Amino acid sequence: MLNMNNISRIYQSDTIQTHALRDFSLNVKAGEFVAVTGPSGSGKSTFLNVAGLLDNFDRGQYELDGVSVQGLKDDELSRLRNEKIGFIFQNYNLIPDYSIFDNVDMPLRYRGFNASERKRRVEQALEKVGLASRFKYLPSQLSGGQQQRVAIARALAGEPKILLADEPTGNLDSLMARQVMEILHDLNKEGATIIMVTHDPDQAREVNRNVQVIDGQLADFKIYAPLDRTSENSGKTVSAAVSASIAEEMENA
Amino acid sequence: MNIKALLKSLLLRKFTTGLLILQLAITLGLLINSVILAVDTNNKLAQDTGLDIDNTLIVSLHPTSGEYRNLDYYRSIVSEDLQQLSELSGVESVSLMNQLPINQRGMLGNVYDLDDPEIVHRDKYLRDSKIFLTNENLSNTLALALLEGRFLTKDDQLDFGSDQNGNVLITESLKKALYGDGSALGQETNNGRIVGVVKDIMLNPTIPVDKQYGVFANRVMEFIFIGRYYLLKISPGQVEAVRNKVSDTILAVQAERDIYRIMTMAEHMKRFYSHDKGLAELFLLLCGLMIFVTAISSYAYSQFHISRQKKYIGIRRALGARKKDILLYVLTENWLVYSIGCALGLVMTLGFNILLSQYISLSKPDIMLFLLASAVIFIAGTIATLIPAIKTSNIPPVIATRTV
Amino acid sequence: MRSDSLFVYNLTLAMQSFKRAPTLYFLIMLTLSIGVGVLCANLALVNSMASDPIPEKSGNLFHINMNTWPDDQPPDEPMHILRYRDAMAITASDLPKRSAVFYASGVYARDAESTSMKRFDSDVRATTPGFFELTNAPFAYGSAFQKSRGMEIVIGDQLNQKIFAGKNSVGKTLELDGELLTIVGVLKPWILRPLFYHPTERRAFNLTDDIFAPLETAIDLGWSIHARSSSAVDYAGIEETRDKDVYYLQVWVELGDVNQKPALQSYLDNYSQQLKDAGEHPLAIKNELHNVNEWLKVNKVVDQKVLAFTLASILFLSVCIFNASSLLLSRFHAAKFEVGLRRAIGASNRHMLMQGLTESVLLGLFTGVIALVLSWLFLKLSVQFLPRLTNLAVLEPKLLVLGMLLALVTSIASALYPLYRANRYTISAELK
Ligand SMILES: Nc1ncnc2c1ncn2[C@@H]1O[C@H](COP(=O)(O)OP(=O)(O)OP(=O)(O)O)[C@@H](O)[C@H]1O
Ligand SMILES: [Mg+2]
């Protein structure tokens, strides 16, 4: 599903060069739920931005859902973002002037669906996050957790291949965070591929794969003893993930 | 494009948007009415006067010495002037007059048929008919077109102290007013016996074209002291050459004269409309300034709006909007504002037209002009917002992930 | 003391703010001052046209219109020009404190002793001697002529400058159309805007006359009428007009007391009634008295075109204010973080408002200065386009003040809403 090979991302300012990612390689299979952890400033967000095609990279190869990304034009990148990726941000990033419905509707407009298709999808997505009754509200009229659920609905509505979430619960209290996590887990069970950056070790432990970024590189997680248990966890669910991805491939065929 | 959502977000910043819309509407209103004013003035200047305005030269002058109190002397000098002027090469014919056509006031008088003096109560324009005192050369000099009868001749000339009324030539509209479709020849008016009718020329542009009442009498030698205007008919292309010689020729006959002005009939007409033209130009100038200010506003509006929207544009890009989607989004937003502005501008145009009509005369706005002006506003506005819009579409999608 | 230093602090903040966004503030100042300048230039024209040229007694001076036309086809009803005998009948009354009977003429003038034959085209007011006191004509040298007949004249400053280089020319002789007349008085520069004593025939903004001559003498000399005249009969020259039905004289009277107006009115009506009884005129009795301002109004001296343009410039100014307002809004929005910070460290709402107002007052002052320069320019430009109004293009002190006030008001007006908005930005929202 996602295949990164020796990716480098260098931020160049007048005086300093920051290697936010250096020779970063990662392979994520369909149906996986990957938690990305690591110290602050280690390059997690940079990785996610590159993965989400929001940011470009300087060296390396990146293949998303079988499409090789480097060298694509801006418009093609936009189309990939729109069709294959659902992004969930730490601070929700809803458009405050737009109602819930219009927010979820927005990416579908760029996809070019007709009105009835859009309506169906928006309703379905809002249903999934349990906010179907609020579609006329403005974001400011919702709690943080609800707003993040709207953001999830927006990411889902386009039926993306992969969900990317950068600290989705970072701004939420534990109860709200719980709700959001449950939604993500449900989605994962239904077959969604999810990559999530988090600072919360408990959240990391819940998912079937953990990766750690240190200094712009994937760390060898064996160094970290507590993660042993997690790797077992992931071992258990891999088969489920694989079968889900097989089912998906069957569908595609 | 989600027009409904667009409208909603416009409503959320109704103050700035409202201001811009008002500005656009006022600008449009002023622009259209100014153009109407300019077009009106140009039409006035371009209207047919029945005269060869480019090849008719006017000399206005006045004697400065006391000698001229002797009218015989006065007459002899004028006759010599006319003789000398007519000998200039390029001059086809010379005449003189007490007043000029294309003028509002001047020597006015009642005109009626002696059998029907009451007619002046029925047609008020008859009370302000123009009385031209001139000589037999006028018809030649102004190339008047004879409709019936004959032109004035030397024999029609009256001498000092004559108590006769003499023979007169009248304009076509005066004939129609007095005698309808019948013949006017031989009819006796309070101003004299009609011997000929000529096609109308523009006498007073401020009254209707079919009320150009004029009477021409061969009496200027009798009232020589009011023969203030020499008229010269010039061969085409010779106007400047003759113009340069006129002063010297006249002053060579007798130097104690003040020559106010040597101008073509076209220049005289321009002078007549100079106040109108000046006003129209002032209005256009104001329009230019207004468009300048409004352009600043639309630029600032989109700039300001975009700076506020930077993050949301980033979000849109992150969610898959292409650059051209963003460009279209920004432009559509502005077009929507312009559309509302133009719609309100229509109201403004009409209102302003009515308001201005209280003070000056101007035509009603027509829809073509409105569409044209709206198009100008649209194009100008699009150009003004294009740069910010392109800049916006270049906002990178990563912006979305940055916490401001 | 404390508020004083706060004021200085506010001033420094305002200056800093200008320096931080110079283009923006320049644009605001530019557009506002163009708007104020254009309007101010127009108001200057309107002001000149609408002002009272002789405020000390404009209510006591009356122009007389009468209806004495001998048949039933008068050119106007009533007429503002009178016959010689009608005019004389009015001066015969002892109701008015003084009166002036005059007509406008023109002659060519030269210094009789000069060797140069150059003659100057001069406007003439042929008048009875009452004119000078009635109009408060200001004398520089000499005095008015005392009688309506005599080879004496008073000349205006401009002609005195042209012929005598501004020196005291009392006692000198001018040759006017071949006749010799002696100067008994020279006026100071005399500006009447409008020229209230002769606003008809679009002359309201002509200059005051060059030569003032005794009425009877001018008639005797045959100085022709250079203004509106109407006659019911033929006549060869003005010399013959005293006992003919030729209408060309204008009459002004000064009443010591405005309450005498009805008395004067009935005096005129009586006179007309006598004429009517004698069968000399068939029409209804219709005599009118207009004081200076009424007479100017009747003659529509305020140019309608200029009024129309003033209307347009008001609209233009509003567009400029809208523009400034939206520019300021964006400026304040950009600075809202700073506003939030200041509020957080204890600046009260009032402080912020004062700071904003200081800024816009300062802005208004700058704008006002530019606007005054611009309005002078626009005034010059307007008369390029409308040359007929050249004599009107003056910026009086009161207009300078008005311009300054307009600039201040517009500047504050355009800052009002942006300020209100800026003060509503909540502290927490901006400092999250
Ligand atoms: N736009 C940028 N310009 C320059 N340097 C940047 C930029 N964005 C990130 N960096 C640098 O790249 C490195 C990686 O940043 P990144 O945001 O990926 O860290 P992170 O792991 O997400 O940290 P956190 O857990 O605090 O969110 C940091 O050193 C950061 O300073
Ligand atoms: Mg991060």
Side-chain angles (χ1 to χ4, degrees):
Chain A
M1 173 62 61
L2 177 146
N3 197 352
M4 280 189 180
N5 217 340
N6 292 329
I7 295 282
S8 285
R9 177 70 174 101
I10 303 161
Y11 288 115
Q12 185 87 47
S13 70
D14 295 343
T15 45
I16 27 168
Q17 257 194 0
T18 315
H19 287 261
L21 292 177
R22 58 181 91 204
D23 295 332
F24 186 97
S25 302
L26 179 70
N27 195 344
V28 177
K29 295 197 185 62
E32 274 189 300
F33 193 157
V34 184
V36 182
T37 54
S40 185
S42 58
K44 304 181 294 295
S45 294
T46 308
F47 154 65
L48 214 62
N49 290 346
V50 169
L53 306 177
L54 299 183
D55 207 352
N56 46 354
F57 49 93
D58 302 292
R59 273 202 309 276
Q61 292 87 43
Y62 174 23
E63 200 175 277
L64 176 70
D65 194 28
V67 180
S68 187
V69 164
Q70 53 271 31
L72 286 185
K73 288 205 210 65
D74 191 85
D75 278 4
E76 292 163 327
L77 290 176
S78 295
R79 218 194 69 236
L80 282 181
R81 275 201 297 275
N82 189 275
E83 288 178 3
K84 297 201 191 288
I85 300 167
F87 219 105
I88 301 162
F89 306 91
Q90 176 176 353
N91 51 350
Y92 335 130
N93 273 347
L94 298 177
I95 296 198
D97 296 354
Y98 279 20
S99 68
I100 302 312
F101 185 96
D102 286 333
N103 263 291
V104 178
D105 180 56
M106 195 172 67
L108 302 178
R109 294 232 179 213
Y110 294 124
R111 186 85 71 90
F113 288 134
N114 64 30
S116 59
E117 172 72 6
R118 292 201 316 265
K119 188 158 182 287
R120 189 183 66 73
R121 285 183 177 231
V122 172
E123 278 167 1
Q124 200 180 336
L126 283 173
E127 196 99 42
K128 255 188 203 154
V129 298
L131 285 172
S133 57
R134 308 261 168 133
F135 64 90
K136 274 195 174 151
Y137 283 49
L138 285 176
S140 56
Q141 295 165 319
L142 299 181
S143 73
Q146 286 169 326
Q147 289 189 42
Q148 190 61 299
R149 274 146 65 194
V150 174
I152 294 173
R154 181 176 64 185
L156 287 180
E159 292 173 2
K161 290 269 159 35
I162 185 164
L163 278 178
L164 304 175
D166 195 348
E167 301 182 41
T169 61
N171 286 358
L172 304 176
D173 64 32
S174 55
L175 196 71
M176 295 282 196
R178 196 65 251 148
Q179 283 182 356
V180 168
M181 283 312 292
E182 254 146 39
I183 292 174
L184 289 179
H185 279 292
D186 287 348
L187 289 170
N188 180 239
K189 276 190 202 116
E190 287 164 28
T193 312
I194 302 176
I195 302 178
M196 176 182 77
V197 171
T198 180
H199 276 132
D200 184 341
D202 291 335
Q203 282 179 9
R205 256 174 243 123
E206 288 168 20
V207 304
N208 55 17
R209 186 173 169 199
N210 262 240
V211 297
Q212 194 167 29
V213 182
I214 292 176
D215 213 6
Q217 279 180 311
L218 264 193
D220 184 349
F221 59 76
K222 273 179 194 160
I223 298 169
Y224 301 92
L227 287 182
D228 272 354
R229 204 165 56 89
T230 327
S231 76
E232 272 174 40
N233 269 355
S234 74
K236 270 182 210 161
T237 35
V238 158
S239 57
V242 168
S243 61
S245 74
I246 288 168
E248 198 180 81
E249 273 171 20
M250 300 268 281
E251 232 171 80
N252 284 348
Chain B
M1 259 319 108
N2 189 345
I3 299 286
K4 226 173 72 195
L6 244 177
L7 269 176
K8 266 193 237 158
S9 74
L10 280 186
L11 265 179
L12 281 171
R13 49 205 152 84
K14 48 185 171 292
F15 183 75
T16 40
T17 312
L19 282 188
L20 185 62
I21 287 176
L22 261 179
Q23 286 190 48
L24 286 167
I26 294 176
T27 307
L28 196 72
L30 187 75
L31 180 63
I32 293 178
N33 281 297
S34 302
V35 171
I36 290 176
L37 205 59
V39 169
D40 277 2
T41 312
N42 267 343
N43 284 347
K44 281 183 201 157
L45 277 168
Q47 71 195 314
D48 184 24
T49 57
L51 296 166
D52 184 0
I53 56 172
D54 291 319
N55 294 311
T56 308
L57 209 54
I58 301 165
V59 184
S60 77
L61 75 174
H62 200 274
T64 63
S65 90
E67 304 288 316
Y68 284 83
R69 297 161 69 80
N70 177 343
L71 295 185
D72 282 316
Y73 176 71
Y74 203 148
R75 198 190 254 186
S76 70
I77 296 291
V78 169
S79 305
E80 184 62 19
D81 283 346
L82 299 181
Q83 181 60 35
Q84 294 296 329
L85 287 173
S86 67
E87 281 168 15
L88 288 177
S89 79
V91 175
E92 293 178 7
S93 167
V94 181
S95 180
L96 81 161
M97 271 178 131
N98 63 327
Q99 61 179 334
L100 294 176
I102 318 180
N103 230 338
Q104 188 173 2
R105 299 211 61 90
M107 186 170 168
L108 310 175
N110 277 332
V111 178
Y112 52 85
D113 188 279
L114 288 180
D115 295 336
D116 183 17
E118 289 304 308
I119 192 165
V120 296
H121 291 298
R122 300 195 294 273
D123 182 350
K124 66 171 177 156
Y125 293 103
L126 283 172
R127 276 178 271 166
D128 286 334
S129 305
K130 296 222 157 181
I131 313 293
F132 291 94
L133 305 186
T134 178
N135 69 5
E136 63 278 4
N137 288 332
L138 184 77
S139 16
N140 219 342
T141 310
L142 289 185
L144 298 177
L146 193 65
L147 295 177
E148 60 177 322
R150 61 170 176 85
F151 286 129
L152 295 172
T153 64
K154 205 164 177 61
D155 295 334
D156 295 320
Q157 186 178 326
L158 296 179
D159 207 341
F160 293 136
S162 124
D163 49 4
Q164 265 181 280
N165 252 334
N167 295 330
V168 293
L169 199 62
I170 63 170
T171 57
E172 186 184 6
S173 53
L174 179 56
K175 188 221 101 173
K176 289 217 170 99
L178 293 179
Y179 305 109
D181 292 330
S183 170
L185 294 186
Q187 301 283 8
E188 292 285 349
T189 71
N190 60 328
N191 281 272
R193 202 169 139 268
I194 298 168
V195 295
V197 178
V198 292
K199 229 172 123 194
D200 278 352
I201 57 174
M202 178 68 70
L203 299 179
N204 178 358
T206 62
I207 60 174
V209 282
D210 59 340
K211 304 289 181 197
Q212 303 293 325
Y213 301 159
V215 175
F216 303 90
N218 191 346
R219 300 182 73 166
V220 73
M221 283 298 168
E222 185 188 356
F223 297 99
I224 186 65
F225 48 88
I226 57 171
R228 294 186 44 210
Y229 300 98
Y230 294 170
L231 295 177
L232 287 73
K233 183 184 181 191
I234 314 286
S235 315
Q238 305 273 333
V239 171
E240 289 317 310
V242 174
R243 194 202 293 256
N244 291 332
K245 283 184 245 155
V246 166
S247 258
D248 291 344
T249 311
I250 293 174
L251 294 180
V253 174
Q254 212 279 338
E256 289 172 308
R257 259 90 64 82
D258 202 355
I259 298 178
Y260 300 117
R261 210 163 267 128
I262 303 170
M263 58 189 170
T264 62
M265 191 65 85
E267 287 158 359
H268 165 63
M269 188 170 176
K270 249 198 187 128
R271 252 171 73 83
F272 182 83
Y273 285 116
S274 67
H275 208 58
D276 294 72
K277 193 152 185 284
L279 184 77
E281 281 164 354
L282 272 180
F283 265 92
L284 287 180
L285 184 83
L286 194 65
C287 270
L289 288 175
M290 212 170 205
I291 290 175
F292 168 70
V293 172
T294 307
I296 292 180
S297 285
S298 359
Y299 180 81
Y301 174 81
S302 42
Q303 187 76 325
F304 167 52
H305 179 47
I306 283 162
S307 75
R308 287 217 303 182
Q309 285 233 312
K310 214 167 164 184
K311 171 128 199 189
Y312 308 128
I313 299 291
I315 298 170
R316 284 171 191 278
R317 294 279 283 136
L319 293 176
R322 289 163 302 175
K323 281 187 177 180
K324 52 180 171 242
D325 293 324
I326 300 298
L327 199 66
L328 194 67
Y329 166 74
V330 176
L331 287 179
T332 311
E333 205 167 56
N334 283 294
W335 286 333
L336 201 63
V337 173
Y338 296 144
S339 305
I340 303 172
C342 286
L344 199 66
L346 185 61
V347 180
M348 207 56 98
T349 303
L350 295 175
F352 200 43
N353 191 272
I354 294 168
L355 210 60
L356 280 181
S357 303
Q358 320 260 316
Y359 301 101
I360 51 178
S361 69
L362 84 168
S363 322
K364 293 272 151 278
D366 66 282
I367 193 74
M368 270 317 288
L369 197 59
F370 173 74
L371 291 179
L372 210 71
S374 303
V376 169
I377 297 260
F378 259 83
I379 293 169
T382 306
I383 292 171
T385 46
L386 204 59
I387 295 164
I390 288 175
K391 258 202 235 156
T392 314
S393 68
N394 283 329
I395 290 174
V398 229
I399 292 275
T401 62
R402 298 215 181 110
T403 29
V404 188
Chain C
M1 192 57 218
R2 193 189 156 274
S3 72
D4 202 50
S5 60
L6 193 60
F7 173 70
V8 174
Y9 178 60
N10 278 343
L11 272 186
T12 16
L13 281 183
M15 288 311 292
Q16 273 171 16
S17 172
F18 294 164
K19 274 187 206 137
R20 213 166 305 148
T23 336
L24 187 117
Y25 280 103
F26 172 73
L27 280 180
I28 293 177
M29 264 189 292
L30 183 72
T31 49
L32 275 186
S33 54
I34 292 178
V36 172
V38 170
L39 183 59
C40 200
N42 268 286
L43 289 180
L45 289 176
V46 174
N47 173 59
S48 299
M49 289 189 284
S51 61
D52 182 346
I54 182 161
E56 61 274 23
K57 56 177 174 184
S58 55
N60 290 44
L61 300 183
F62 291 91
H63 185 269
I64 295 177
N65 283 11
M66 289 185 84
N67 207 17
T68 61
W69 194 258
D71 61 36
D72 61 354
Q73 290 169 11
D76 281 314
E77 244 184 305
M79 290 167 67
H80 75 278
I81 38 181
L82 307 182
R83 275 184 302 205
Y84 181 82
R85 60 182 167 121
D86 299 336
M88 289 309 141
I90 297 168
T91 60
S93 158
D94 44 1
L95 271 168
K97 203 162 139 194
R98 53 181 73 91
S99 63
V101 176
F102 57 71
Y103 74 94
S105 183
V107 293
Y108 282 84
R110 61 177 278 272
D111 179 1
E113 289 158 22
S114 163
T115 48
S116 156
M117 287 309 283
K118 180 164 174 51
R119 293 183 174 91
F120 296 91
D121 188 359
S122 315
D123 290 328
V124 171
R125 184 80 18 194
T127 179
T128 55
F131 176 85
F132 300 98
E133 285 202 329
L134 186 138
T135 58
N136 286 351
F139 278 87
Y141 308 110
S143 60
F145 44 80
Q146 302 304 320
K147 285 182 277 178
S148 287
R149 184 172 271 118
M151 298 301 269
E152 297 175 332
I153 50 170
V154 168
I155 65 172
D157 177 67
Q158 267 203 354
L159 189 66
N160 195 45
Q161 297 288 350
K162 278 192 262 184
I163 300 183
F164 300 106
K167 296 202 191 72
N168 184 349
S169 56
V170 171
K172 303 243 183 204
T173 307
L174 288 186
E175 184 215 308
L176 308 175
D177 283 6
E179 302 288 339
L180 298 177
L181 289 92
T182 307
I183 298 170
V184 296
V186 178
L187 297 184
K188 287 184 188 153
W190 188 26
I191 295 161
L192 280 180
R193 266 186 229 105
L195 186 66
F196 77 89
Y197 63 76
H198 196 152
T200 51
E201 296 103 31
R202 283 218 203 111
R203 288 189 187 213
F205 304 110
N206 284 12
L207 302 173
T208 49
D209 296 275
D210 298 310
I211 295 176
F212 302 85
L215 176 67
E216 304 294 345
T217 305
I219 295 176
D220 291 341
L221 293 177
W223 288 357
S224 57
I225 305 159
H226 281 206
R228 177 102 186 266
S229 66
S230 294
S231 67
V233 293
D234 279 344
Y235 67 102
I238 190 168
E239 309 89 295
E240 312 172 359
T241 57
R242 286 196 181 92
D243 48 9
K244 286 195 169 153
D245 290 333
V246 183
Y247 294 73
Y248 64 100
L249 291 166
Q250 299 199 52
V251 178
W252 282 88
V253 296
E254 179 178 347
L255 295 180
D257 179 358
V258 189
N259 295 327
Q260 290 174 301
K261 190 181 167 192
L264 183 61
Q265 178 80 48
S266 55
Y267 175 83
L268 294 176
D269 292 350
N270 267 337
Y271 172 79
S272 294
Q273 188 61 48
Q274 283 169 20
L275 291 182
K276 199 175 163 101
D277 292 346
E280 287 192 53
H281 83 95
L283 293 164
I285 290 168
K286 195 173 177 193
N287 302 317
E288 287 174 2
L289 293 168
H290 298 283
N291 70 24
V292 170
N293 289 319
E294 288 163 354
W295 185 233
L296 293 177
K297 205 164 183 186
V298 168
N299 282 287
K300 294 210 172 89
V301 295
V302 179
D303 191 308
Q304 300 295 297
K305 293 190 165 82
V306 174
L307 279 186
F309 194 63
T310 306
L311 210 72
S313 18
I314 291 174
L315 279 184
F316 176 61
L317 181 59
S318 63
V319 164
C320 291
I321 295 175
F322 295 162
N323 174 64
S325 198
S326 48
L327 288 179
L328 277 177
L329 193 67
S330 65
R331 165 74 193 129
F332 286 176
H333 186 87
K336 70 179 176 178
F337 177 77
E338 194 198 309
V339 174
L341 195 66
R342 285 183 187 282
R343 294 287 307 282
I345 59 176
S348 72
N349 240 331
R350 219 175 59 86
H351 284 150
M352 300 310 296
L353 201 68
M354 284 315 293
Q355 192 194 320
L357 282 181
T358 313
E359 190 178 307
S360 50
V361 167
L362 205 59
L363 190 69
L365 288 177
F366 289 146
T367 306
V369 173
I370 307 177
L372 291 183
V373 176
L374 285 181
S375 67
W376 182 81
L377 276 177
F378 282 125
L379 203 56
K380 292 284 160 250
L381 197 70
S382 309
V383 295
Q384 288 293 310
F385 286 106
L386 303 175
R388 208 185 284 165
L389 306 179
T390 309
N391 293 335
L392 285 172
V394 278
L395 270 180
E396 286 176 20
K398 91 175 167 201
L399 273 147
L400 297 181
V401 175
L402 181 78
M404 208 64 198
L405 279 179
L406 259 178
L408 276 176
V409 168
T410 51
S411 154
I412 293 173
S414 34
L416 277 184
Y417 182 80
L419 267 177
Y420 162 77
R421 272 282 293 270
N423 278 342
R424 262 195 356 183
Y425 296 140
T426 50
I427 304 173
S428 58
E430 300 316 326
L431 296 181
K432 203 160 51 180

